[in-house]
Amino acid sequence: MAKGTMRYWAAAKAAAGTHEEPYDADTLAAALTAATSRDGREDEFRRVVARSSFLIDGDPVGSRPHDSVRLPEGGVVEVLPPFAGG
């Protein structure tokens, strides 16, 4: 299992109740499942994550299936909810 950091921005940060936390997972899907299953997480966090985009070490995940996205040791996963404005 790879260990790294998940960083939450905007609505994801508010719903998670933290700016960042560690991950211990091999894939993005596994890391997101662990994050959304943490004790005390409300349904709102799951809804925000479901609408979010993700960067891994600055590279966009795009439309790739999350279970196919391998996480690197020491990597950073950015959780970016949709932003309003123009």
Side-chain angles (χ1 to χ4, degrees), residues 25-81:
D26 289 329
T27 66
L28 178 57
L32 294 174
T33 296
T36 58
S37 299
R38 290 188 193 272
D39 286 340
R41 293 275 160 90
E42 303 285 329
D43 288 337
E44 179 62 18
F45 180 70
R46 287 184 269 294
R47 284 191 290 272
V48 169
V49 169
R51 295 187 319 261
S52 293
S53 299
F54 306 94
L55 300 176
I56 299 175
D57 290 340
D59 294 324
V61 170
S63 61
R64 291 182 287 164
H66 296 163
D67 61 350
S68 72
V69 178
R70 307 286 301 168
L71 295 179
E73 181 67 32
V76 176
V77 176
E78 309 274 350
V79 180
L80 306 167

